[in-house]
Amino acid sequence: MKNIYLFILTALFSVVMQAEVSVADKAALVDLYHATNGANWNTKWNLSAPVDSWYGVKVVGNKVIAIHLKNNNLEGQIPSSIVALTDLQELNLHKNKLSGEIPTALGNLKQLQVLDLSFNKLSGTIPASLTENVNLVTVSLYMNRLSGELPQGIGNLKRLEVLSVFNNEIQGEIPVSLYTMNNLKVLLLNSNQMSGNLSPRIAELTALENLSLFENNFKGQIPFELEKLNQLKEMNLSYNSFSGFTSRKLASLDTLNMTMFNDKGVAVLLNVGGNMNISTSIVSEE
């Protein structure tokens, strides 16, 4: 009798584990498939097979919690219907051919922790609604055609550790709220069109390990407060319009020794502070 009960329990468990996801979840996935030219994906979905067998889809407890479709030849636009996947924690569509704007509706995915839409052809602005995804840990939007400014409310993302939006057309200043993100480890804003000053409040980003503002239009003094960032291992502030002195410590940390553009647009080396003549450049330092 005991063996019979064990068999029944095992059978029931198997049925539960193989149960289909909700109609809403499946419909959202099918919509994504058709909206991104699924027939031409490198690895296609068999829409008649169970969802948990579909390439790149992770199902737990009958809920879709992750989509990993990087480098899979997705082409088209991300449908707003993807927000029906209310339990989604990871969305990775890196290195495809996606175009159009990032759906504002993504802000409704409250469980989302990883958003990677990098290396596509996305345009438009970064939706302010993304700042409502308070569980986000990683946001990778680099190598697109995004414009506009960083959302002013980005500081709402208190759990964020990685913000990577390099190689876009982002303008404007660094939002003040960003300096309150004390879990941020990686901040990559290089190769955009950003401007303004770098605030001394950068010292509040105590977990920061990698800072890149390379190739923008930042100006003014490089804050010495950067020296307070004890976790900082990599930094590149070069090819901006910063001016004035900096310290040897910061100069040695910068990948290109703080190469800057002068008022004529010519690349020069920023002067190092300390007991040095103002005309003495970094390149002469021992």
Side-chain angles (χ1 to χ4, degrees):
M1 183 65 70
K2 182 178 180 180
N3 289 336
I4 294 176
Y5 284 139
L6 182 60
F7 174 79
I8 294 174
L9 287 173
T10 301
L12 288 173
F13 180 76
S14 298
V15 169
V16 170
M17 291 301 292
Q18 295 176 8
E20 188 60 278
V21 301
S22 70
V23 173
D25 277 15
K26 184 172 183 178
L29 291 174
V30 171
D31 201 14
L32 174 66
Y33 185 79
H34 291 308
T36 57
N37 200 15
N40 287 321
W41 286 6
N42 293 335
T43 303
K44 304 174 182 61
W45 288 345
N46 179 357
L47 300 183
S48 61
V51 170
D52 60 4
S53 70
W54 294 2
Y55 172 75
V57 176
K58 184 176 181 180
V59 178
V60 174
N62 308 325
K63 293 291 185 180
V64 176
I65 66 164
I67 300 175
H68 293 159
L69 294 173
K70 64 180 182 180
N71 199 21
N72 199 41
N73 201 38
L74 278 67
E75 186 171 6
Q77 299 187 18
I78 303 170
S80 295
S81 56
I82 199 170
V83 300
L85 302 171
T86 54
D87 293 272
L88 196 65
Q89 298 174 19
E90 299 180 19
L91 177 60
N92 186 343
L93 305 179
H94 166 77
K95 201 174 184 182
N96 283 288
K97 302 174 183 177
L98 297 170
S99 57
E101 299 187 358
I102 299 172
T104 300
L106 284 183
N108 294 324
L109 295 177
K110 303 304 183 185
Q111 304 304 314
L112 199 62
Q113 298 175 26
V114 176
L115 176 63
D116 190 343
L117 305 179
S118 58
F119 225 118
N120 281 284
K121 301 176 181 179
L122 297 170
S123 58
T125 61
I126 299 174
S129 61
L130 286 184
T131 65
E132 300 171 13
N133 299 75
V134 294
N135 287 309
L136 277 170
V137 176
T138 299
V139 173
S140 297
L141 304 175
Y142 61 88
M143 297 293 288
N144 277 291
R145 299 168 182 171
L146 299 172
S147 57
E149 301 183 1
L150 292 178
Q152 292 300 309
I154 198 165
N156 295 335
L157 305 179
K158 301 301 183 186
R159 297 185 59 191
L160 199 69
E161 296 181 2
V162 176
L163 177 60
S164 181
V165 296
F166 64 87
N167 278 90
N168 279 287
E169 299 169 14
I170 304 298
Q171 300 176 333
E173 301 185 11
I174 295 176
V176 173
S177 68
L178 185 145
Y179 296 116
T180 67
M181 301 167 68
N182 52 19
N183 282 313
L184 196 62
K185 296 180 179 179
V186 177
L187 178 60
L188 307 180
L189 303 179
N190 52 285
S191 302
N192 279 290
Q193 300 170 17
M194 299 188 69
S195 57
N197 297 328
L198 181 59
S199 171
R201 293 190 61 185
I202 191 74
E204 297 177 29
L205 302 180
T206 53
L208 200 62
E209 299 176 1
N210 189 345
L211 171 65
S212 183
L213 306 181
F214 170 84
E215 199 178 26
N216 277 287
N217 299 310
F218 291 109
K219 62 182 181 179
Q221 176 70 46
I222 294 175
F224 285 91
E225 284 79 2
L226 280 167
E227 291 190 358
K228 298 178 181 179
L229 298 178
N230 296 325
Q231 304 303 316
L232 195 61
K233 300 178 180 66
E234 297 181 53
M235 182 177 74
N236 194 338
L237 308 184
S238 296
Y239 292 98
N240 280 285
S241 297
F242 288 116
S243 58
F245 286 101
T246 188
S247 68
R248 294 180 180 87
K249 179 179 179 181
L250 292 179
S252 63
L253 188 61
D254 188 274
T255 306
L256 294 178
N257 289 333
M258 293 186 176
T259 302
M260 304 295 165
F261 289 120
N262 64 16
D263 57 0
K264 296 186 173 77
V266 177
V268 296
L269 291 176
L270 196 64
N271 293 323
V272 176
N275 298 321
M276 296 184 60
N277 185 283
I278 192 168
S279 65
T280 306
S281 65
I282 293 170
V283 73
S284 66
E285 281 293 296
E286 295 181 359

